[in-house]
Amino acid sequence: MAAAAVDSAMEVVPALAEEAAPEAAGLSCLVNLPGEVLEYILCSGSLTAADIGRVSSTCRRLRELCQSSGKVWKEQFRVRWPSLMKHYSPTDYVNWLEEYKVRQKAGLEARKIVASFSKRFFSEHVPCNGFSDIENLEGPEIFFEDELVCILNMEGRKALTWKYYAKKILYYLRQQKILNNLKAFLQQPDDYESYLEGAVYIDQYCNPLSDISLRDIQAQIDSIVELVCKTLRGINSRHPSLAFKAGESSMIMEIELQSQVLDAMNYVLYDQLKFKGNRMDYYNALNLYMHQVLIRRTGIPISMSLLYLTIARQLGVPLEPVNFPSHFLLRWCQGAEGATLDIFDYIYIDAFGKGKQLTVKECEYLIGQHVTAALYGVVNVKKVLQRMVGNLLSLGKREGIDQSYQLLRDSLDLYLAMYPDQVQLLLLQARLYFHLGIWPEKSFCLVLKVLDILQHIQTLDPGQHGAVGYLVQHTLEHIERKKEEVGVEVKLRSHEKHRDVCYAIGLIMKHKRYGYNCVIYGWDPTCMMGHEWIRNMNVHSLPHGHHQPFYNVLVEDGSCRYAAQGGDTEWAHAESQNGAAATQDGPGILPAGCTPQAQLPPPRNSCPIWERERER
């Protein structure tokens, strides 16, 4: 009977959503159902937000069921944007109808901005405040970011232009937020949890498009702690660490009890879970990202030490980080509390080497050199993060491929956030910006930023006058060259070097794969976009890669795109304004006001297809 009542009601609800004045019998049938059944129907997922709005306006009972803070609108919000539910506590009062409206408005605003980027990046110069309208958006930033993620997750290879710019905007937004959080974090006093939190900020900044949070990483570490406690219970069922509650910071003072914890940790981490130092692929940035260390169960000395340190302290063992040269270590005090201690009163733990416990002499043997006592001292969180970022900086310098520039830029940003007056790094950043400033898709304003950096360096260290003067001279020369390039460049298809350009400005075309109509308004003999764009758009997978003509096209929806000529499918020429169709033997009929260019014969072995979209 209950199932029959639900089926009957489900037939009535769509009728109510479509008709302004529902029949009295249908309405009576619906409102006479028990409240739980009505709520189940309204939350079944078959009704849209518009349907719920119309249903709630039919009578008082349905309006009460669809109250803004009730289950119906919560379910509408959850179904539409499930990833946002993690930001709400079950105990919080939430006006779900209002949240729905704000999220919907943020989504429309996000799509409007993403769509506008194509037109703005096609302008001659990108303004220095290109992201200013994003920074001034009203409403929760998480709503805007969620819409950008939705664009990135659109099915297949649709909306490549939108995805390209959504990724850039999301990257920028998240990095700015993370960098601000890191700067605030560095102002906090040191405590045992801060090492992990700082490492997570570095991880997040270098991987802004990944879903990384301190809460998730801490949850994974807590699960390891539970396994250690299970093993520890077998060693000593009355061990005080077993009574610790989550979040407690109590420390065990007895050396024997601490030793039992470390034995249990070593068994769980290295024997049971198979964590190990990554000797085979040591110089890999993934070894420094905490979320990757937990996933891949491998890392380098500093990342393995931070994991080991965090687990040990949660179980009451007061280990401390040691910024040992060439091999990060932890130290474990063996002396009496309050006594005067030297470096020989500690045991040093190599988390990279499966938790091996070392003496001072063994530490020196590990790196093959004698070091001073000062290098066995404990370091604060800022020094630990400095070393992590320094490792990333070294990796960024080692790589010579285009992808490494992002790692180099990220590590420089992080290092200068901690130490903003490092002259040598400021010089490196100036050189890097100068190099990036000549990339076709990069902002001309990067060149101007170089001058700001150089002026700051000159203020900090007048002794760098020679290096600064050299960079200033070359930067100003670059600006002058850019000014000279502002003039209109005339390209003729009739020229011998452009013989592969088969289609003229003014042709009206139709993309064979994506189906949009467009008109050609410019062309390049080869792809003129930068390495980042070519890589993101997977241009290398085309039959002729980027070594083929690319066309600027204006699409019927108002967007501007960049399309490759090469392919194995026939061009689809849309009809021109006077109704004549373009054919493969010629450029077709040009729109009024366009001047035909010299004609070239069609290619012998391939026919074009629009393969990619362009972003600038």
Side-chain angles (χ1 to χ4, degrees):
M1 292 295 293
V6 171
D7 291 340
S8 175
M10 291 294 288
E11 294 175 0
V12 174
V13 173
L16 292 175
E18 295 175 4
E19 300 178 15
E23 294 292 337
L27 179 59
S28 176
C29 174
L30 182 65
V31 298
N32 288 333
L33 291 172
E36 293 83 357
V37 175
L38 278 173
E39 193 174 74
Y40 174 81
I41 295 169
L42 295 173
C43 294
S44 64
S46 61
L47 300 179
T48 66
D51 295 332
I52 296 299
R54 289 192 287 267
V55 167
S56 64
S57 65
T58 56
C59 68
R60 180 180 297 176
R61 183 151 190 254
L62 291 176
R63 183 165 62 252
E64 291 173 352
L65 276 172
C66 300
Q67 58 181 313
S68 58
S69 59
K71 184 177 179 181
V72 175
W73 278 110
K74 179 180 180 180
E75 184 64 13
Q76 284 289 323
F77 189 94
R78 186 196 68 79
V79 170
R80 184 78 181 275
W81 303 292
S83 61
L84 291 174
M85 296 305 295
K86 64 184 178 183
H87 299 288
Y88 297 94
S89 170
T91 59
D92 291 343
Y93 172 83
V94 180
N95 186 327
W96 291 106
L97 175 57
E98 188 61 28
E99 290 292 284
Y100 193 100
K101 291 178 180 178
V102 173
R103 172 59 182 84
Q104 179 75 0
K105 182 179 178 181
L108 294 174
E109 192 68 23
R111 288 176 176 266
K112 179 181 177 182
I113 290 175
V114 171
S116 73
F117 262 54
S118 176
K119 297 177 181 178
R120 282 192 286 165
F121 276 80
F122 265 91
S123 62
E124 185 175 348
H125 294 306
V126 180
C128 292
N129 59 347
F131 290 98
S132 60
D133 50 351
I134 298 172
E135 297 173 344
N136 298 327
L137 282 173
E138 297 180 359
E141 191 173 280
I142 56 171
F143 288 176
F144 189 78
E145 290 186 7
D146 186 65
E147 186 64 30
L148 295 174
V149 173
C150 290
I151 294 173
L152 290 176
N153 293 335
M154 290 173 67
E155 182 182 356
R157 296 189 60 79
K158 296 180 180 178
L160 295 179
T161 302
W162 278 37
K163 289 181 180 180
Y164 181 80
Y165 284 116
K167 181 179 178 180
K168 279 186 171 293
I169 295 170
L170 188 60
Y171 208 98
Y172 171 82
L173 279 177
R174 288 186 174 176
Q175 281 201 327
Q176 290 300 305
K177 181 170 63 176
I178 295 164
L179 198 61
N180 290 334
N181 291 340
L182 176 62
K183 290 177 179 178
F185 165 78
L186 292 172
Q187 303 302 317
Q188 302 297 321
D190 296 339
D191 55 45
Y192 80 93
E193 293 179 343
S194 62
Y195 295 103
L196 178 64
E197 186 177 350
V200 171
Y201 280 131
I202 292 174
D203 191 351
Q204 290 174 329
Y205 191 83
C206 294
N207 302 280
L209 301 183
S210 301
D211 189 12
I212 303 167
S213 69
L214 177 62
R215 181 178 61 182
D216 292 342
I217 289 178
Q218 184 63 61
Q220 294 180 63
I221 292 177
D222 289 343
S223 66
I224 298 176
V225 170
E226 290 179 8
L227 292 175
V228 175
C229 287
K230 184 177 179 180
T231 301
L232 187 60
R233 193 173 287 109
I235 299 174
N236 181 357
S237 61
R238 301 173 63 85
H239 197 286
S241 295
L242 300 175
F244 287 174
K245 297 180 181 178
E248 283 188 350
S249 57
S250 301
M251 291 295 162
I252 302 168
M253 305 314 299
E254 293 83 356
I255 299 298
E256 180 60 31
L257 293 177
Q258 293 178 6
S259 179
Q260 292 175 358
V261 172
L262 296 182
D263 289 343
M265 282 178 55
N266 289 341
Y267 171 75
V268 171
L269 283 173
Y270 304 112
D271 295 334
Q272 186 175 348
L273 297 180
K274 307 297 183 185
F275 277 85
K276 62 180 180 179
N278 195 347
R279 301 179 188 276
M280 300 298 294
D281 191 18
Y282 192 90
Y283 297 103
N284 188 331
L286 298 181
N287 293 323
L288 283 154
Y289 304 145
M290 293 307 297
H291 83 286
Q292 288 290 345
V293 171
L294 290 166
I295 291 172
R296 301 163 72 237
R297 299 189 180 183
T298 189
I300 58 174
I302 190 167
S303 56
M304 295 292 289
S305 293
L306 289 183
L307 175 62
Y308 199 98
L309 171 72
T310 303
I311 296 172
R313 288 203 168 196
Q314 283 190 219
L315 293 170
V317 182
L319 300 184
E320 298 172 303
V322 177
N323 206 10
F324 202 65
S326 304
H327 200 103
F328 200 88
L329 296 171
L330 300 171
R331 73 179 191 181
W332 174 28
C333 182
Q334 304 294 295
E337 184 179 5
T340 302
L341 304 174
D342 60 23
I343 61 174
F344 299 100
D345 292 313
Y346 293 90
I347 287 177
Y348 299 89
I349 297 176
D350 179 12
F352 182 82
K354 296 189 174 182
K356 185 177 180 180
Q357 297 177 6
L358 308 171
T359 63
V360 170
K361 185 174 290 293
E362 288 172 328
C363 290
E364 294 181 350
Y365 180 77
L366 181 67
I367 63 172
Q369 67 182 74
H370 175 73
V371 297
T372 62
L375 295 176
Y376 289 91
V378 66
V379 289
N380 61 21
V381 62
K382 194 171 182 179
K383 290 294 184 182
V384 173
L385 298 186
Q386 177 187 1
R387 180 152 175 172
M388 291 190 78
V389 176
N391 286 337
L392 289 171
L393 191 60
S394 297
L395 292 176
K397 293 176 182 178
R398 287 169 61 94
E399 299 294 336
I401 54 178
D402 178 67
Q403 291 92 318
S404 69
Y405 291 128
Q406 189 61 56
L407 177 59
L408 185 56
R409 289 179 64 186
D410 291 344
S411 52
L412 277 172
D413 289 343
L414 289 167
Y415 208 108
L416 290 171
M418 294 185 284
Y419 301 97
D421 295 335
Q422 284 282 335
V423 173
Q424 292 302 320
L425 292 184
L426 285 167
L427 278 170
L428 176 59
Q429 189 181 53
R431 295 191 198 101
L432 181 61
Y433 273 127
F434 178 78
H435 179 71
L436 295 177
I438 63 176
W439 288 5
E441 78 274 26
K442 297 297 180 183
S443 170
F444 176 71
C445 297
L446 289 178
V447 181
L448 301 180
K449 186 169 183 178
V450 172
L451 295 177
D452 293 335
I453 296 172
L454 294 175
Q455 185 177 6
H456 183 52
I457 294 171
Q458 185 70 22
T459 303
L460 293 172
D461 187 359
Q464 296 289 337
H465 177 75
V468 171
Y470 174 82
L471 285 172
V472 167
Q473 177 185 352
H474 281 265
T475 302
L476 293 175
E477 289 176 357
H478 180 74
I479 292 175
E480 291 301 318
R481 287 197 302 269
K482 295 294 290 185
K483 288 180 179 178
E484 294 173 0
E485 295 170 4
V486 170
V488 178
E489 179 186 3
V490 178
K491 296 181 289 188
L492 298 176
R493 289 176 60 237
S494 58
H495 197 284
E496 176 62 21
K497 66 180 181 180
H498 298 149
R499 56 189 172 86
D500 293 331
V501 180
C502 301
Y503 297 92
I505 291 175
L507 273 177
I508 299 175
M509 314 297 289
K510 182 175 182 179
H511 196 297
K512 288 288 287 184
R513 177 176 296 177
Y514 301 126
Y516 59 73
N517 293 318
C518 58
V519 61
I520 299 174
Y521 69 88
W523 51 263
D524 295 315
T526 59
C527 182
M528 300 302 293
M529 299 302 285
H531 298 294
E532 179 190 5
W533 185 90
I534 290 173
R535 184 179 67 253
N536 288 342
M537 290 300 184
N538 202 25
V539 172
H540 295 297
S541 67
L542 297 177
H544 303 290
H546 64 284
H547 298 295
Q548 61 176 308
F550 272 69
Y551 295 86
N552 304 88
V553 297
L554 178 63
V555 184
E556 56 190 341
D557 63 4
S559 63
C560 299
R561 309 189 187 188
Y562 200 44
Q565 174 176 276
D568 300 320
T569 309
E570 253 183 60
W571 273 111
H573 296 268
E575 288 192 353
S576 61
Q577 291 181 349
N578 64 359
T583 67
Q584 194 175 10
D585 296 328
I589 304 299
L590 299 178
C594 292
T595 304
Q597 296 188 13
Q599 306 305 312
L600 291 176
R604 291 190 297 270
N605 299 321
S606 64
C607 299
I609 176 176
W610 294 116
E611 289 285 348
R612 295 291 180 266
E613 302 171 288
R614 182 182 195 177
E615 296 77 18
R616 280 188 179 176

